C-alpha cells in the first residue's frame, strides 16, 4: 500500500491497483505550490465533508481522471448539480464493497457546509479494508467515544488523524484517538497549513513516542509504503 501526501489533509493511497485521493486541497495551499494537480492520477476522490479546504481541487481532478467521488448524500448531490455526476452517495454506518476493497463511513464530530454556504450534511470519516490491511481516515474531527466502536469491529493498521488543534483534535486528543481505534501508527494531517494550526514537529513526535506510538509527519510530495 503506497501513500503520497499532497499537504493539509490530502493523501493519495494506491492499493489493489486503484488510486484513492482524499480531500484534495492543493492548488490554494501555498505549502503545496510545487504540486501540479494535472499530474495527479486518481480513480476515486473520497471526501470527508464540504469545507473548501477539503474539496478545492475536486472539479479539476475529477475531470482529468473521470474519477468517482465518494462522500455523503449532500456532498455528492452538490457536485452532481455542478455536472460531476459520477458519485457514490453514502451515509454514516453504511458500508460498500468497491473494486479496491471495503469502505465503511463512520462518524466525525465537526461541521460541514459547501463553499457557497449550502448544507453539506454531516462530516464523516472512513475505514477502508484493502489488500489485507485496514486503515482509518478520520477527516476533520474532535475526539469522540464512537471511535472505540472502530476498535471493536476492525484491526486498524494505521490511521490518518488531524493533529493541528483549534479546528480539530490536537496532539493530546489524537494520541487518545489512536488508543480508541487501537493503532500504534498515526499519519498526521490538518496541521501547518494556516497560522492557527501550526505545530512543533519534534514535540508532536515525542508526545506520541512517549505513549508507545509512532507519529509520521510526511513531507508534501513524499511517498511511503505501508
Amino acid at each position: 500500500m503506497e501513500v503520497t501526501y499532497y499537504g493539509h489533509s490530502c493523501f493519495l493511497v494506491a492499493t489493489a491497483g486503484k488510486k484513492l485521493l482524499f480531500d484534495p486541497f492543493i492548488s490554494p495551499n501555498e505549502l503545496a505550490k510545487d504540486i501540479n494537480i494535472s499530474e495527479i492520477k486518481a480513480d476515486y476522490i473520497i471526501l470527508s465533508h464540504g469545507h473548501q479546504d477539503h474539496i478545492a481541487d475536486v472539479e479539476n481532478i475529477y475531470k482529468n481522471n473521470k474519477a468517482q467521488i465518494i462522500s455523503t448524500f449532500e456532498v455528492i448531490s452538490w457536485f452532481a448539480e455542478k455536472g460531476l455526476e459520477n458519485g457514490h452517495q453514502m451515509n454514516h454506518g453504511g458500508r460498500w464493497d468497491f473494486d479496491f476493497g471495503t469502505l465503511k463511513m463512520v462518524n466525525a464530530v465537526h461541521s460541514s457546509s459547501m463553499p457557497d454556504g449550502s448544507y453539506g450534511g454531516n462530516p464523516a470519516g472512513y475505514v477502508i479494508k484493502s489488500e489485507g490491511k485496514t486503515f482509518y481516515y478520520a477527516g476533520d474531527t474532535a475526539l469522540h467515544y464512537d471511535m472505540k466502536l472502530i476498535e471493536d469491529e476492525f484491526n486498524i493498521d494505521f490511521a490518518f488523524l488531524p493533529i493541528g488543534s483549534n479546528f480539530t483534535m490536537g496532539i493530546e486528543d489524537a494520541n487518545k484517538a489512536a488508543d480508541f481505534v487501537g493503532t500504534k501508527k498515526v499519519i498526521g494531517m490538518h496541521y501547518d497549513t494556516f497560522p492557527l494550526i501550526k505545530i512543533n514537529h519534534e514535540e508532536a513526535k515525542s508526545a506520541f513516542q512517549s505513549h508507545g506510538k509512532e507519529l509520521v509527519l510526511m513531507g508534501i510530495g513524499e511517498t511511503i509504503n505501508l
Side-chain angles (χ1 to χ4, degrees):
M1 196 173 286
E2 190 177 82
V3 176
T4 302
Y5 185 44
Y6 291 125
H8 200 47
S9 297
C10 182
F11 296 88
L12 184 72
V13 177
T15 182
K18 301 296 178 181
K19 294 185 175 181
L20 322 179
L21 185 69
F22 292 82
D23 285 4
F25 175 76
I26 304 165
S27 56
N29 182 2
E30 179 63 23
L31 299 179
K33 63 182 183 299
D34 294 330
I35 302 298
N36 183 353
I37 65 168
S38 66
E39 296 177 352
I40 295 175
K41 303 301 180 185
D43 298 292
Y44 295 90
I45 303 171
I46 302 174
L47 305 176
S48 62
H49 63 297
H51 288 164
Q52 177 70 11
D53 63 320
H54 294 260
I55 69 166
D57 293 307
V58 168
E59 192 164 353
N60 285 332
I61 294 172
Y62 172 96
K63 290 177 178 177
N64 289 341
N65 292 273
K66 298 180 180 178
Q68 183 175 62
I69 305 171
I70 301 171
S71 192
T72 60
F73 173 86
E74 292 82 4
V75 171
I76 295 298
S77 297
W78 188 82
F79 277 111
E81 290 178 0
K82 294 169 66 68
L84 282 65
E85 297 180 346
N86 184 16
H88 184 96
Q89 301 170 338
M90 296 189 71
N91 218 319
H92 300 76
R95 181 195 310 260
W96 192 258
D97 292 329
F98 292 91
D99 55 4
F100 58 81
T102 300
L103 178 148
K104 182 175 183 178
M105 180 178 281
V106 296
N107 286 342
V109 177
H110 193 60
S111 56
S112 180
S113 58
M114 308 311 297
D116 60 4
S118 60
Y119 179 57
N122 291 315
Y126 298 95
V127 178
I128 292 176
K129 297 179 70 173
S130 179
E131 292 191 312
K133 292 187 177 180
T134 304
F135 68 89
Y136 169 47
Y137 181 87
D140 278 11
T141 189
L143 179 69
H144 58 86
Y145 260 83
D146 281 358
M147 290 176 177
K148 288 179 175 286
L149 298 175
I150 293 173
E151 184 185 26
D152 289 346
E153 184 175 355
F154 300 99
N155 293 315
I156 301 296
D157 293 291
F158 60 93
F160 298 95
L161 300 180
I163 58 173
S165 198
N166 194 72
F167 299 111
T168 66
M169 296 187 291
I171 299 299
E172 183 177 350
D173 282 354
N175 236 316
K176 293 177 183 176
D179 290 333
F180 283 7
V181 303
T183 189
K184 297 291 186 182
K185 192 177 190 73
V186 171
I187 301 174
M189 64 181 185
H190 210 279
Y191 65 93
D192 283 356
T193 315
F194 317 115
L196 288 173
I197 59 173
K198 288 191 179 296
I199 66 167
N200 183 304
H201 289 208
E202 293 309 312
E203 288 181 2
K205 289 179 181 178
S206 294
F208 275 79
Q209 188 174 18
S210 68
H211 288 82
K213 307 184 193 79
E214 179 187 9
L215 173 64
V216 179
L217 300 179
M218 297 178 64
I220 294 176
E222 180 183 2
T223 298
I224 61 174
N225 289 296
L226 293 167

